[in-house]
Amino acid sequence: MCGIVAYVGKKDAYPILMSGLHRLEYRGYDSAGVCVYNNNDLHLYKTLGKVSDLERFVEGKDMSGHIGIAHTRWATHGLPNEINAHPHYSEFSDIALIHNGIIENYSPLKEELIKQGRHFTSETDTEVLVQLIDFIRMDGDLTLEEAVRQALSQVVGAYAIAVISKDDPYTVIGARKGSPLVIGVGEDEYILASDATPLVEYTKEVIYLEESHIAVMTVKPDAKPKLTITNLKNVRKTPRVQTLETSLEVLEKGGYPHFMLKEIYEQPKVIRDSFRGRINIERNTVALSGIIDHQDKFLKARRIIITACGTSWHAGLVGKYLIEELARIPVEVEYASEYRYRHPIVNKDDVVMAISQSGETADTLAAVNLARDNGAFVYGICNVVGASIPRETHSGTYIHAGPEIGVASTKAFTAQVCVLTLIALSLAKAKGTVDASRFSTIVNELYTLPDKIEKTLKLNDKIADFAKIFTYSRNFLYLGRGYNYPLALEGALKLKEISYIHAEGYPAAEMKHGPIALVDSEMPIVVIATNQGNYEKIVSNIQEVKARKGRIISIITEGDTTVKALSDYYIEIPATEAMLVPVLACVPLQLLAYHIAVQRGCNVDQPRNLAKSVTVE
Ligand code: F6R
């Protein structure tokens, strides 16, 4: 939630800040702001709306200068409006600060500052932080760096911040705890941002700032750029410079109208990438280094607990079915937000698997820390390299889906499920719970999935036509059984989050226990009814719905005649193993949600009230 970017160097800061904000806009987009230094003063502008609104707002203003900070917001404290937007000034507008995270003890701090004569203009926790820094600085006649250090020692909560001051127009100070921050090290410049995407155009050298570290970046006209990193106790730290692998092209839409559509179409490539070096089809082997290195932990585990949020949780549910069927290890799937607060029993022989595209989801990160602190072995399945979760876990596997920019997760889901399939197969092989021929069938079938997805993507036009029929539907039900039940949940989530149509996913057999009362001739019901697994059972469930005049949109296996005859509309996908259907059948579900949302004129890539990276609980 919230994207921050800061620049200090020899170039003009403003265009770099704005292009950075556009890249970070997926993190929040209810208001935006920028502050640059020129003519011996700070100049701060902010507005309700998107980054493009901010750009229009500052048109004609003097935005020159070689240092600045900028922010795109997802509101936590205080309504999304111009006053609550970042940056925030200190009392006398000497210091400007941007923040991603939550200062939990902002209320007592604010009361104390008010007693000390400070005035507040916004409702935000962030303004409290900048006022606190300034108060400490003035009270103790301290440097800005020391004041930041002392203020951060007093705050409880999560933060990634960037601070500039009109007393030092050559220095940006950044710090983080719980929220991500990465420094791009250019030739004569530093760029600080919530993730690496704003840096890609300028440098490949990056430093992921560690927990509770403070970075001071100075670029003076006639001196070499200087970067020092310390912790809250002022102990000097040696930065680890890493090479960024993302290219600019993967951050662009590449001719697609939306990132979401581009990302749906990228899925065959993403899956091939996630198999590279892991499946050897000639030798019929599956190898994941994270699993090989810690195989004992998994094989001796009393149970595996998968923890995640949203779409990643749905992938986790597919993972449970896979691991239990293939490797016969009991698996529990927990919403991270519940797990972290419900005093769970964590045993030393538990393996906790955290699934997160961003690797930054606050609840999942907290669940990871809880499990690790209680002695469990913690394994991460993440996409964003170098994010917090992969750094806090004992081991893990990257899904290698590349940057996912559309707020609705698509390619990350398929890549997560593929990685979970590889994990289940590796463990099954090691435990001897799957015989050689079954193993080989599944591996071969898995390997053909990218081709089958390519074929499924050819249904795009047909699905776009269906979308026109359902554009104005007010409710949807999604049904599935077995492996297709998590998929029903995922299909419903995709539709509701981008089209704002109410949609619910159910295990098909649960309909009789209540939800069937909702069915009438107005209700579209998407049924994932591929001809494996519980086929006869789902056929009966469809008949029950049909008898109540529900409108059936089915996802069926090519050549199916029974469900086709019962359906008002059908989408045929290639045949595959029941356990692999989620990877294939999620594609038409994603496309259906996408086209309905486009028909309704919704902002597909940036749905209302949402943000891609949920770094607050
Ligand atoms: C839905 C979606 C969210 C995320 C959830 C977890 O399309 O994207 O439900 O799946 O916020 O995010 P990560 O996977 O980054 O932990």
Side-chain angles (χ1 to χ4, degrees):
M1 317 269 167
C2 301
I4 73 177
V5 55
Y7 178 85
V8 56
K10 302 208 168 152
K11 298 183 188 135
D12 259 350
Y14 178 71
I16 296 171
L17 295 173
M18 285 304 114
S19 87
L21 275 198
H22 278 293
R23 299 224 185 279
L24 294 175
E25 204 165 25
Y26 71 88
R27 301 177 67 89
Y29 33 82
D30 55 41
S31 51
V34 59
C35 181
V36 292
Y37 176 95
N38 62 41
N39 295 321
N40 304 320
D41 212 348
L42 296 173
H43 302 274
L44 189 153
Y45 304 98
K46 42 196 193 175
T47 182
L48 188 64
K50 295 188 178 271
V51 177
S52 50
D53 295 309
L54 177 67
E55 285 170 318
R56 272 190 292 278
F57 182 63
V58 301
E59 244 167 48
K61 307 208 160 67
D62 180 4
M63 299 307 289
S64 61
H66 303 297
I67 183 168
I69 56 179
H71 187 271
T72 178
R73 179 167 187 247
W74 188 89
T76 56
H77 290 71
L79 288 174
N81 62 27
E82 195 188 302
I83 291 173
N84 291 332
H86 302 208
H88 286 281
Y89 268 145
S90 58
E91 184 90 10
F92 307 105
S93 309
D94 296 340
I95 298 175
L97 178 144
I98 48 176
H99 169 220
N100 165 213
I102 287 187
I103 307 299
E104 287 170 13
N105 59 339
Y106 82 102
S107 187
L109 291 172
K110 187 171 181 174
E111 269 172 40
E112 187 50 39
L113 286 164
I114 290 172
K115 272 192 212 146
Q116 299 293 337
R118 295 269 160 164
H119 302 89
F120 287 84
T121 51
S122 79
E123 300 157 272
T124 63
D125 52 340
T126 304
E127 194 187 0
V128 176
L129 183 55
V130 68
Q131 291 271 30
L132 180 66
I133 292 171
D134 189 47
F135 178 76
I136 292 173
R137 182 180 74 117
M138 291 179 75
D139 197 43
D141 198 16
L142 300 174
T143 61
L144 182 60
E145 180 189 349
E146 194 45 38
V148 167
R149 181 172 292 109
Q150 290 193 14
L152 292 180
S153 307
Q154 291 186 32
V155 304
V156 177
Y159 55 79
I161 57 166
V163 196
I164 55 173
S165 144
K166 78 172 172 200
D167 296 340
D168 181 355
Y170 306 112
T171 299
V172 169
I173 298 179
R176 77 166 281 258
K177 183 180 167 215
S179 299
L181 208 48
V182 50
I183 302 168
V185 184
E187 212 169 294
D188 279 323
E189 62 194 0
Y190 297 106
I191 309 165
L192 185 72
S194 298
D195 73 25
T197 56
L199 322 176
V200 179
E201 274 167 87
Y202 308 101
T203 180
K204 290 273 174 211
E205 303 213 326
V206 299
I207 298 162
Y208 293 94
L209 200 63
E210 299 286 337
E211 276 294 272
S212 303
H213 282 188
I214 300 174
V216 180
M217 293 149 280
T218 305
V219 184
K220 290 190 174 162
D222 301 319
K224 277 176 127 191
K226 190 172 161 214
L227 166 69
T228 55
I229 298 184
T230 52
N231 65 10
L232 291 182
K233 297 204 167 93
N234 202 10
V235 177
R236 198 68 182 256
K237 298 285 166 183
T238 313
R240 193 161 76 91
V241 181
Q242 302 185 35
T243 307
L244 203 59
E245 273 163 23
T246 312
S247 69
L248 199 52
E249 151 191 305
V250 299
L251 302 175
E252 310 285 353
K253 283 190 198 145
Y256 287 89
H258 298 100
F259 280 111
M260 182 178 176
L261 192 62
K262 177 187 176 221
E263 288 159 8
I264 291 172
Y265 271 84
E266 277 173 0
Q267 289 176 109
K269 177 182 179 304
V270 161
I271 295 174
R272 286 188 188 108
D273 288 349
S274 79
F275 291 163
R276 192 157 301 126
R278 293 169 173 172
I279 295 183
N280 184 326
I281 203 71
E282 282 79 36
R283 294 196 183 154
N284 196 27
T285 55
V286 168
L288 283 171
S289 57
I291 297 288
I292 294 170
D293 295 346
H294 302 280
Q295 193 161 285
D296 264 17
K297 297 266 182 213
F298 283 91
L299 299 188
K300 287 190 189 137
R302 205 158 63 160
R303 58 179 180 166
I304 294 173
I305 297 159
I306 296 180
T307 186
C309 303
T311 288
S312 297
W313 188 91
H314 297 154
L317 198 53
V318 181
K320 169 186 168 75
Y321 289 20
L322 286 161
I323 295 170
E324 290 195 344
E325 178 174 341
L326 291 171
R328 311 304 296 154
I329 302 171
V331 182
E332 292 164 25
V333 187
E334 297 264 7
Y335 287 111
S337 54
E338 289 297 314
Y339 184 69
R340 62 179 292 200
Y341 284 121
R342 66 168 183 79
H343 305 294
I345 298 165
V346 185
N347 298 306
K348 299 219 174 338
D349 51 5
D350 285 339
V351 169
V352 173
M353 259 188 205
I355 308 178
S356 173
Q357 186 284 128
S358 62
E360 298 292 348
T361 298
D363 284 322
T364 313
L365 183 58
V368 163
N369 290 333
L370 178 143
R372 203 199 42 215
D373 294 348
N374 283 282
F377 176 72
V378 187
Y379 199 85
I381 299 178
C382 295
N383 188 32
V384 178
V385 176
S388 300
I389 292 173
R391 284 189 287 148
E392 296 292 315
T393 42
H394 294 111
S395 179
T397 303
Y398 281 115
I399 60 171
H400 295 310
E404 190 179 62
I405 293 165
V407 163
S409 189
T410 51
K411 61 178 181 170
F413 173 78
T414 35
Q416 286 164 345
V417 175
C418 285
V419 161
L420 285 159
T421 314
L422 296 180
I423 291 174
L425 283 166
S426 311
L427 296 176
K429 187 74 183 254
K431 275 191 80 179
T433 46
V434 63
D435 67 41
S437 97
R438 180 88 185 111
F439 181 87
S440 156
T441 306
I442 300 168
V443 172
N444 278 294
E445 204 38 57
L446 190 59
Y447 204 67
T448 64
L449 278 182
D451 296 344
K452 292 183 178 176
I453 293 181
E454 265 158 13
K455 195 169 175 202
T456 307
L457 285 167
K458 298 208 167 91
L459 300 170
N460 182 46
D461 291 348
K462 178 177 177 179
I463 297 170
D465 285 344
F466 287 170
K468 291 184 190 136
I469 304 168
F470 297 103
T471 306
Y472 299 104
S473 296
R474 295 172 61 109
N475 297 288
F476 260 77
L477 285 174
Y478 284 71
L479 305 179
R481 296 184 73 128
Y483 284 96
N484 295 343
Y485 159 54
L487 196 52
L489 298 179
E490 175 58 8
L493 176 60
K494 285 294 87 93
L495 184 70
K496 66 185 139 192
E497 70 180 325
I498 60 170
S499 74
Y500 320 140
I501 295 175
H502 172 243
E504 294 293 336
Y506 276 102
E510 274 296 299
M511 287 297 283
K512 289 195 271 303
H513 302 285
I516 202 160
L518 293 168
V519 177
D520 61 17
S521 59
E522 295 292 301
M523 177 69 90
I525 300 160
V526 179
V527 191
I528 305 116
T530 42
N531 70 0
Q532 296 238 343
N534 301 301
Y535 182 67
E536 285 78 21
K537 303 274 180 214
I538 198 129
V539 171
S540 311
N541 299 139
I542 294 172
Q543 274 161 338
E544 287 153 13
V545 169
K546 197 73 201 149
R548 275 92 190 162
K549 300 197 169 54
R551 296 156 83 197
I552 303 285
I553 308 156
S554 61
I555 314 283
I556 56 172
T557 309
E558 278 171 355
D560 174 292
T561 49
T562 314
V563 178
K564 191 190 271 186
L566 291 170
S567 305
D568 298 275
Y569 309 94
Y570 61 85
I571 297 161
E572 284 179 294
I573 60 170
T576 189
E577 289 284 329
M579 66 176 64
L580 304 181
V581 170
V583 176
L584 197 53
C586 70
V587 175
L589 298 179
Q590 294 164 348
L591 287 171
L592 184 67
Y594 170 79
H595 286 295
I596 291 178
V598 170
Q599 285 295 325
R600 288 166 68 92
C602 298
N603 187 339
V604 173
D605 283 335
Q606 295 176 346
R608 69 184 181 203
N609 305 340
L610 293 179
K612 181 90 186 147
S613 189
V614 186
T615 53
V616 294
E617 59 176 284

